[in-house]
Amino acid sequence: MFAASKTLAARTIRSFTTSACSLNAAVSKTATSSSSVTSPLPKAYFVERTKSGQLPVYSEYKNAGTRTLTVIRKIQGNATALKTDILTTYPGAEVRVNERSNQVILKGLVMDDVRQWLTAKGF
């Protein structure tokens, strides 16, 4: 019984070493193929859609309707990076970030523009 377990252990070691060698070959093959093709870097943020599949861009009215805001909610990651992307596209926009709720707030009613911009970005 002891000899049978010893041969079983030898088989598992042998199969582990062969699979490790094939794994190393696969890693080196993908490393050489990925170095020739540059993939785009992932963004520092992601805007999650709502349960109904819509973009989470909302309007808010303050001061009895005299102050209008556009709010982007459901931001995962770095909301400040989203703010800088908005400012590079729309340099005159007044944008601030609520760090506590991870929301980006724009001055004015620009919901349609923001939705089109987010859709063009792939969100």
Side-chain angles (χ1 to χ4, degrees), residues 33-42:
S33 65
S34 66
S35 63
S36 62
V37 177
T38 57
S39 61
L41 294 174

mmCIF file of all heavy atoms in Angstrom, residues 33-42:
data_model
loop_
_atom_site.group_PDB
_atom_site.id
_atom_site.type_symbol
_atom_site.label_atom_id
_atom_site.label_comp_id
_atom_site.label_asym_id
_atom_site.label_seq_id
_atom_site.Cartn_x
_atom_site.Cartn_y
_atom_site.Cartn_z
ATOM 1 N N SER A 33 3.875 37.949 -27.969
ATOM 2 C CA SER A 33 2.833 38.433 -28.865
ATOM 3 C C SER A 33 2.214 39.729 -28.356
ATOM 4 O O SER A 33 1.832 40.576 -29.140
ATOM 5 C CB SER A 33 1.743 37.370 -29.043
ATOM 6 O OG SER A 33 1.089 37.152 -27.820
ATOM 7 N N SER A 34 2.121 39.913 -27.047
ATOM 8 C CA SER A 34 1.520 41.136 -26.523
ATOM 9 C C SER A 34 2.486 42.310 -26.583
ATOM 10 O O SER A 34 2.070 43.444 -26.564
ATOM 11 C CB SER A 34 1.032 40.933 -25.091
ATOM 12 O OG SER A 34 2.141 40.700 -24.236
ATOM 13 N N SER A 35 3.789 42.037 -26.650
ATOM 14 C CA SER A 35 4.731 43.140 -26.732
ATOM 15 C C SER A 35 4.705 43.797 -28.107
ATOM 16 O O SER A 35 5.002 44.964 -28.234
ATOM 17 C CB SER A 35 6.141 42.655 -26.397
ATOM 18 O OG SER A 35 6.550 41.703 -27.370
ATOM 19 N N SER A 36 4.334 43.032 -29.153
ATOM 20 C CA SER A 36 4.285 43.620 -30.479
ATOM 21 C C SER A 36 3.022 44.450 -30.693
ATOM 22 O O SER A 36 3.012 45.378 -31.471
ATOM 23 C CB SER A 36 4.382 42.518 -31.541
ATOM 24 O OG SER A 36 3.276 41.661 -31.418
ATOM 25 N N VAL A 37 1.931 44.108 -29.994
ATOM 26 C CA VAL A 37 0.680 44.834 -30.124
ATOM 27 C C VAL A 37 0.438 45.590 -28.824
ATOM 28 O O VAL A 37 0.395 44.994 -27.755
ATOM 29 C CB VAL A 37 -0.499 43.873 -30.395
ATOM 30 C CG1 VAL A 37 -1.807 44.637 -30.454
ATOM 31 C CG2 VAL A 37 -0.262 43.084 -31.656
ATOM 32 N N THR A 38 0.299 46.902 -28.929
ATOM 33 C CA THR A 38 0.064 47.682 -27.721
ATOM 34 C C THR A 38 -1.429 47.799 -27.493
ATOM 35 O O THR A 38 -2.174 48.239 -28.365
ATOM 36 C CB THR A 38 0.679 49.091 -27.848
ATOM 37 O OG1 THR A 38 0.125 49.717 -28.992
ATOM 38 C CG2 THR A 38 2.181 49.013 -27.973
ATOM 39 N N SER A 39 -1.878 47.389 -26.327
ATOM 40 C CA SER A 39 -3.292 47.497 -25.985
ATOM 41 C C SER A 39 -3.510 48.804 -25.234
ATOM 42 O O SER A 39 -2.619 49.280 -24.540
ATOM 43 C CB SER A 39 -3.725 46.314 -25.119
ATOM 44 O OG SER A 39 -2.991 46.304 -23.920
ATOM 45 N N PRO A 40 -4.681 49.407 -25.368
ATOM 46 C CA PRO A 40 -4.927 50.664 -24.666
ATOM 47 C C PRO A 40 -4.990 50.424 -23.164
ATOM 48 O O PRO A 40 -5.439 49.376 -22.705
ATOM 49 C CB PRO A 40 -6.287 51.119 -25.208
ATOM 50 C CG PRO A 40 -6.927 49.877 -25.703
ATOM 51 C CD PRO A 40 -5.816 48.979 -26.159
ATOM 52 N N LEU A 41 -4.514 51.396 -22.420
ATOM 53 C CA LEU A 41 -4.530 51.283 -20.971
ATOM 54 C C LEU A 41 -5.950 51.418 -20.448
ATOM 55 O O LEU A 41 -6.748 52.184 -20.997
ATOM 56 C CB LEU A 41 -3.650 52.373 -20.354
ATOM 57 C CG LEU A 41 -2.159 52.265 -20.657
ATOM 58 C CD1 LEU A 41 -1.444 53.491 -20.114
ATOM 59 C CD2 LEU A 41 -1.577 51.004 -20.075
ATOM 60 N N PRO A 42 -6.291 50.689 -19.402
ATOM 61 C CA PRO A 42 -7.634 50.826 -18.844
ATOM 62 C C PRO A 42 -7.808 52.192 -18.190
ATOM 63 O O PRO A 42 -6.851 52.790 -17.686
ATOM 64 C CB PRO A 42 -7.717 49.705 -17.816
ATOM 65 C CG PRO A 42 -6.305 49.402 -17.472
ATOM 66 C CD PRO A 42 -5.497 49.699 -18.699
#
